[in-house]
Amino acid sequence: MRKAQAKKIPLAPDPKFNDKNVTRFVNCLMWGGNKTVVLSAFYDALDKVEKMTSENGYEVWKRALVNVTPAVEVRSRRIGGATFQIPTEVRPDRKISLSMKWLIRYSRERNGKTIADKLANEIVAAAKGEGAAVKKKEDTHRMAEANKAFSHFKV
């Protein structure tokens, strides 16, 4: 039997936008454990987004997250010796988590000098509905659509 589920520690909102999702994004972006450095890099990226698009950088970032957020994903399930990819809806908390992780992952893989440049370019591309993070979402949806026949195996 499993133990009780761990309690979620509430996040403090970030100082500039007073948004918990920004804090969550910065925590995912952080590698070395220096939050102030990553927070300033994130704010620099939003400033660069503002210069590129002449829109509010924060709003563009939110739009990019919405464009990258998946609705369905496939989960492996073993039934009678065969493994099936079963399409399932994504929990609301996991939707946000996946979209942030994808945006960060593909911004790191981009060309650019600093993480702020890379992140800004990926945010702008995702807000337009382009870029690798949006492609990942579309691939996930396409895979779920292809395995729709196995949806009756859901638990």
Side-chain angles (χ1 to χ4, degrees):
M1 197 162 157
R2 294 184 184 185
K3 288 187 176 183
Q5 198 170 14
K7 297 279 188 279
K8 277 206 160 196
I9 300 169
L11 286 174
D14 80 300
K16 193 171 181 181
F17 301 111
N18 203 31
D19 187 359
K20 289 183 180 181
N21 278 340
V22 172
T23 306
R24 201 167 160 184
F25 190 83
V26 167
N27 287 346
C28 283
L29 186 59
M30 187 168 45
W31 255 351
N34 202 336
K35 196 170 191 171
T36 53
V37 171
V38 178
L39 197 60
S40 65
F42 176 73
Y43 291 149
D44 287 348
L46 290 189
D47 290 339
K48 289 176 183 181
V49 166
E50 232 169 88
K51 286 176 187 163
M52 281 189 241
T53 60
S54 68
E55 291 178 59
N56 184 359
Y58 176 65
E59 296 299 324
V60 174
W61 173 75
K62 282 176 31 179
R63 191 167 64 235
L65 271 184
V66 169
N67 286 351
V68 175
T69 303
V72 289
E73 66 179 343
V74 290
R75 292 209 131 130
S76 295
R77 175 126 191 261
R78 195 167 166 83
I79 299 164
T83 306
F84 294 102
Q85 297 285 328
I86 299 168
T88 54
E89 281 190 33
V90 187
R91 294 188 324 269
D93 197 42
R94 184 166 161 76
K95 279 182 184 183
I96 298 165
S97 181
L98 283 174
S99 62
M100 287 181 181
K101 285 174 187 172
W102 290 346
L103 203 58
I104 290 166
R105 174 179 161 198
Y106 291 110
S107 64
R108 282 197 178 117
E109 291 175 7
R110 265 184 174 269
N111 292 330
K113 198 162 190 173
T114 64
I115 190 65
D117 293 335
K118 295 175 180 185
L119 192 59
N121 290 332
E122 188 63 33
I123 288 170
V124 169
K128 288 179 185 173
E130 307 164 354
V134 175
K135 187 181 181 306
K136 173 73 174 171
K137 173 199 165 187
E138 289 168 356
D139 289 346
T140 306
H141 280 228
R142 205 173 298 120
M143 199 181 298
E145 184 68 28
N147 290 301
K148 197 168 58 175
F150 305 123
S151 60
H152 65 281
F153 287 131
K154 277 185 198 168
V155 176

